[in-house]
Amino acid sequence: MLPDQQFLRIPGPTPIPPSVQHAMSQPMIGHRDQETKDLLHSIKPKLKPVFGTNQDVLMIAGSGTAGLETAVTNAVQPGDEVMVIVTGAFGDRFAQICTEHDISTHRYDVEWGEAVAPQTIEEHLKKHPHIKAVFATLCETSTGVLNPVKELSRVIRRHSDALFIVDGVSAVGGVDVKMDEWEIDILITGSQKAMMLPPGLTFAAVSERAWEVIENNNRPSFYFDLAKHRNQLDNDSTPFTPALSLLFGLSQALELIEQEGLEAVFSRHRQLMNMTRAAFKALGIPLLTSDKDASTTVTAMKPDDFDPDALRKVLKNEFNLTVAGGQKHLKGSIFRIGHMGYCSPADILQTISMIEVALNKIGKSVELGKGISAAQEIMLSGGS
Ligand SMILES: Cc1ncc(COP(=O)(O)O)c(C=O)c1O
């Protein structure tokens, strides 16, 4: 094992493209100088298609959770009623944030590993006619589920005036999301997932409808006041010192997305998902989610005859390959592979090959190459 060679295949943070790494090492500039204005000015139009919106996308220094909490505190007030669709650990986090802020939170819990069936929320919406917002997670990173956000939005619009607020943290940049067309009111993501950057930036796109609510919300907020961020961004500026190095990196990451083409980026992610799923199916290792519910950015396996943490240990100690374990009650029973952002089919082949060796090392005998060839078949057929 080379001491400085790492293979990072968790669902965020994800590997950084060398050109993005290089861009982030640029010397610092004055955050009130023209260079910063030019940088923000050039980033703004390139972010919009990634979110599927015509709105400017706000960039705030903070992790993804800062973005989630910002959405909550800007769009709803203590005492308001909201509904949170919980399909895993990150839906649960959205619900916790609401509860912490004294918001009356109606949870809609779905079995972990499954996506929410949009029509099933109808009853819940009718039962709680005063709901001000519905919160959902696009890709539930803890299970590898992609929730049908477009269809959810239709159901919400039909039965309520609630804002629709979506956590897109492990999806935006890798999953085709059309914020405006699907009538999402606030869409949040973080930098360290499909956006190919280190952690530290959160992004928020806000619909006209949501701006009206936010402008009439008089609850106190200083740093995370979205209107303040919007007003400054209108002038290619930020209210506080921006995370400049991350913005240098973002500019280059968006350049890479543009070069590859957004459609090609999404189709690469579908291929990565298909390769990963085909490999584990061929190896006889059960997947946590159905093909229908699967996310193109992360895949979870739920083995029934070996300890996933024993596998992770061998991968880490012997090959320097990091894959993720389970969260909350799935701890110890699943392992997860992140395949978003700077990830290619070759990375998946490499990952599967190391896993095949490690499985044999922990006593789970699998035929070497069986998973790899299933993944190669997907590559060969185009597979997206
Ligand atoms: C779907 C989702 N939401 C929210 C978060 C929280 O982001 P952060 O850890 O950057 O605060 C994560 C992080 O894994 C996530 O995957």
Side-chain angles (χ1 to χ4, degrees), residues 220-262:
S221 176
F222 192 81
Y223 183 80
F224 291 113
D225 176 352
L226 281 174
K228 211 182 261 171
H229 286 269
R230 177 198 56 187
N231 296 345
Q232 289 293 321
L233 195 60
D234 283 349
N235 297 313
D236 300 328
S237 187
T238 55
F240 312 107
T241 312
L244 282 162
S245 301
L246 287 168
L247 294 182
F248 293 147
L250 174 61
S251 176
Q252 175 57 23
L254 291 167
E255 184 65 40
L256 292 178
I257 290 175
E258 226 174 61
Q259 270 174 28
E260 186 179 354
L262 204 46

Side-chain angles (χ1 to χ4, degrees), residues 157-179:
R157 281 286 181 276
R158 210 174 304 134
H159 298 282
S160 108
D161 291 328
L163 295 179
F164 185 35
I165 300 177
V166 175
D167 170 352
V169 170
S170 59
V172 174
V175 172
D176 190 4
V177 51
K178 296 187 164 47
M179 173 172 159

Side-chain angles (χ1 to χ4, degrees), residues 63-65 68 90 93 137 139 141 167 169-170 192-193:
S63 84
T65 307
L68 303 188
F90 293 102
R93 183 170 301 181
T137 317
C139 168
T141 325
D167 170 352
V169 170
S170 59
Q192 78 275 25
K193 310 269 180 176

Side-chain angles (χ1 to χ4, degrees), residues 124-144:
H124 215 63
L125 286 167
K126 285 182 190 157
K127 212 161 83 191
H128 304 290
H130 305 299
I131 281 172
K132 293 277 172 58
V134 177
F135 294 86
T137 317
L138 177 50
C139 168
E140 179 46 77
T141 325
S142 62
T143 61

Side-chain angles (χ1 to χ4, degrees), residues 49-52 138-140 145-149 168-179 182 187 189 193-195 257 262-263 265-270 273 294-298 339-341:
V50 179
F51 281 68
L138 177 50
C139 168
E140 179 46 77
V145 152
L146 195 71
N147 281 302
V149 156
V169 170
S170 59
V172 174
V175 172
D176 190 4
V177 51
K178 296 187 164 47
M179 173 172 159
W182 300 353
L187 180 60
T189 197
K193 310 269 180 176
M195 299 298 287
I257 290 175
L262 204 46
E263 283 311 316
V265 170
F266 299 146
S267 129
R268 169 168 53 83
H269 281 79
R270 283 194 296 274
M273 169 189 75
S295 172
T296 56
T297 53
V298 52
H339 36 78
M340 70 184 99

Side-chain angles (χ1 to χ4, degrees), residues 1-7 320:
M1 182 166 84
L2 298 172
D4 64 347
Q5 188 179 32
Q6 290 209 43
F7 305 96
N320 236 344

